Amino acid sequence: MGLNGAKIFTTSFDRPNISYEIVERDQPRQQLLRFLAGHKGNSGIVYCLSRAKVEDTAEWLNGQGIRALAYHAGMDRAVRDANQDAFLKEEDLCLVATVAFGMGIDKPNVRYVAHLDLPGSVEAYYQETGRAGRDGLPSEVWMAYGMADVIQRGRMIDEGGAADEIKRVERSKLNALLAICETASCRRQAILSHFGESHAGNCGGCDTCLKPVETWDGTDAAIKALAAIYRTGERFGTGHVVDVLIGNVNEKTERFGHTEMPVFGAGKDIAARTWQSVFRQLLAMGLVRVDHGAFGALKLEEGARAVFKREREVFFRKDRPASERRPKRAAQAERRSVLSGSDDALFEALRAERTAIARSLSVPPYVVFPDTTLIAFATERPRTHKELLGISGVGQSKLERYGDAFLEVILGFDG
Ligand SMILES: [Zn+2]
């Protein structure tokens, strides 16, 4: 009754053109450089937590031959605005920023977003990564994170002025993101599930799908890790507890008499780096927590009991060796697989034309035409005004303003 023609609008949180990758932070700058190597000619954002890190990272990238500009709220207003303007107008530019950047920014061809620090929640991660690929073309998001992030974020929550109830919510939001970082299955599925949306998994567009993670039965290791926390009185942070597990004799382990304990060296068959990963995963599983009021001491949570009693098995993901190649789905590579050799050469020629026009008009290139339109030019090769008008993104006024310039490039191209 009166419902004919009513439409139900459903909006999915899924961003199928974005591929996700989250890695354990090991040598963050080198890892970032390897990620950016897949994005020559592209623009993107690198998010850092602190202003100092933004400036250091931008300066370092420039030294590595990557054109990078900084953006944070503490900068001189004129410089900040100029950097933002350059990012909007130019291609092949890396903007290193705090989260202050991005509000109200709608650059459609941001091809990558990298995080050098862990955001505070899945919502923040989703929003920040969502600035990539608004034009619908393949884009990559990447994050390097480690235990230090978990400690730092936790401290920010604990030392913030919020009421206890709010702090509890913030902690659970942080843990939800941590669980996505440590998942051994599809990241897209995990992200969508956080927003109450189901996804079959195996998306083919995240690192865990492209290169499935191996898991190992870590029940024995988990029991040792939890025992080491318990036996040392739940008073120490990860570094010290790992020292106890691997039997590292040093001033601190001796001073506290930990070298005399049965648990000392009980985990020496496992590398320190793997133990670090074990503790991150125990945190993500909610079996332990970090007490920031006690200088980052690890404390056991209720669920630890079931592991001690062997009522609960624990599986850990195997971290990939840091040197291992990244699974490949670089936006660049993706575009080249869409465009054949000669189409790709034409696309580059069209892009150069667009850059020249944009510069002369002092507008961002996508205002002239988005990448999607240039790709259609390169593949469909319109030869007349009428054919140009048949391509998505070309209207009468753009045809009049830019049509001939692009036709000239297409007609002059003998690919
Ligand atoms: Zn996936």
Side-chain angles (χ1 to χ4, degrees):
M1 198 178 86
L3 288 175
N4 279 349
K7 287 199 176 80
I8 297 166
F9 291 98
T10 52
T11 311
S12 171
F13 279 92
D14 193 13
R15 299 284 309 276
N17 62 313
I18 294 182
S19 65
Y20 297 89
E21 183 178 10
I22 300 176
V23 302
E24 184 199 3
R25 190 166 55 222
D26 181 35
Q27 300 167 302
R29 287 183 165 181
Q30 295 307 321
Q31 288 172 297
L32 176 66
L33 213 52
R34 280 202 290 275
F35 171 71
L36 293 178
H39 285 282
K40 292 206 165 65
N42 291 337
S43 286
I45 307 169
V46 174
Y47 280 117
C48 303
L49 191 56
S50 75
R51 296 170 180 184
K53 189 165 172 182
V54 162
E55 292 184 358
D56 290 350
T57 305
E59 191 183 329
W60 182 80
L61 284 174
N62 279 303
Q64 299 296 312
I66 291 171
R67 222 156 60 85
L69 293 175
Y71 184 102
H72 62 73
M75 285 167 71
D76 176 68
R77 174 108 207 193
V79 178
R80 194 179 63 189
D81 288 351
N83 288 358
Q84 172 171 317
D85 198 47
F87 181 67
L88 294 180
K89 284 183 183 158
E90 293 178 38
E91 300 189 68
D92 193 11
L93 189 61
C94 174
L95 194 81
V96 187
T98 60
V99 293
F101 180 77
M103 301 298 169
I105 296 300
D106 200 16
K107 183 179 166 78
N109 60 338
V110 173
R111 287 275 76 84
Y112 63 85
V113 169
H115 280 94
L116 284 179
D117 297 293
L118 187 74
S121 65
V122 183
E123 288 78 4
Y125 174 72
Y126 181 81
Q127 187 186 36
E128 286 151 28
T129 55
R131 292 180 182 131
R134 291 202 173 150
D135 56 7
L137 292 173
S139 304
E140 279 192 312
V141 304
W142 176 91
M143 174 161 69
Y145 97 105
M147 187 63 128
D149 291 299
V150 183
I151 309 271
Q152 187 174 22
R153 281 286 174 188
R155 191 182 299 129
M156 285 164 71
I157 294 169
D158 283 356
E159 292 174 359
D164 285 352
E165 182 52 33
I166 305 287
K167 284 182 180 173
R168 231 186 331 272
V169 172
E170 287 178 344
R171 258 182 241 118
S172 82
K173 286 183 160 192
L174 177 62
N175 286 344
L177 181 57
L178 195 56
I180 288 173
C181 293
E182 294 293 347
T183 185
S185 46
C186 177
R187 298 207 196 271
R188 188 180 311 274
Q189 182 183 43
I191 291 167
L192 292 175
S193 140
H194 179 83
F195 293 113
E197 210 176 296
S198 64
H199 184 285
N202 269 317
C203 73
C206 75
D207 57 327
T208 50
C209 285
L210 290 168
K211 197 156 192 309
V213 179
E214 287 179 58
T215 56
W216 55 290
D217 182 344
T219 309
D220 287 341
I223 289 172
K224 284 178 188 172
L226 298 170
I229 295 170
Y230 183 70
R231 293 289 168 202
T232 53
E234 300 181 84
R235 291 170 55 209
F236 298 90
T238 318
H240 183 75
V241 180
V242 170
D243 278 343
V244 169
L245 280 163
I246 62 173
N248 190 8
V249 180
N250 59 25
E251 188 273 325
K252 202 169 168 187
T253 48
E254 285 193 310
R255 174 154 49 99
F256 287 99
H258 294 160
T259 50
E260 306 304 317
M261 291 180 159
V263 75
F264 188 78
K268 61 173 178 288
D269 52 325
I270 294 176
R273 188 162 166 258
T274 305
W275 279 119
Q276 291 281 353
S277 160
V278 162
F279 282 106
R280 279 202 320 272
Q281 296 186 64
L282 290 172
L283 268 169
M285 292 170 189
L287 295 173
V288 305
R289 70 186 162 87
V290 175
D291 185 348
H292 299 281
F295 306 103
L298 293 170
K299 307 257 180 188
L300 300 183
E301 288 283 61
E302 185 54 35
R305 192 187 302 267
V307 179
F308 271 128
K309 291 189 188 157
R310 292 189 180 274
E311 290 165 4
R312 173 172 172 180
E313 289 186 320
V314 179
F315 282 83
F316 294 120
R317 56 178 276 155
K318 252 186 203 168
D319 280 326
R320 303 180 207 282
S323 56
E324 202 172 286
R325 281 174 59 90
R326 308 179 42 244
K328 216 50 221 150
R329 195 195 183 236
Q332 193 85 358
E334 192 75 8
R335 197 191 76 217
R336 295 205 191 283
S337 72
V338 173
L339 294 175
S340 72
S342 98
D343 288 351
D344 197 50
L346 176 53
F347 175 80
E348 289 302 336
L350 292 164
R351 205 152 93 123
E353 179 64 33
R354 179 178 65 176
T355 303
I357 294 174
R359 284 229 172 99
S360 72
L361 300 175
S362 199
V363 297
Y366 59 81
V367 171
V368 179
F369 283 126
D371 283 2
T372 41
T373 303
L374 294 196
I375 287 173
F377 286 174
T379 52
E380 295 174 31
R381 310 219 173 171
R383 309 188 77 80
T384 62
H385 281 186
K386 189 159 177 267
E387 284 174 7
L388 271 179
L389 273 176
I391 284 176
S392 162
V394 186
Q396 193 62 44
S397 78
K398 285 202 178 184
L399 175 74
E400 281 163 21
R401 266 180 283 169
Y402 316 125
D404 287 337
F406 285 94
L407 269 188
E408 199 175 309
V409 175
I410 297 165
L411 294 172
F413 188 83
D414 46 21

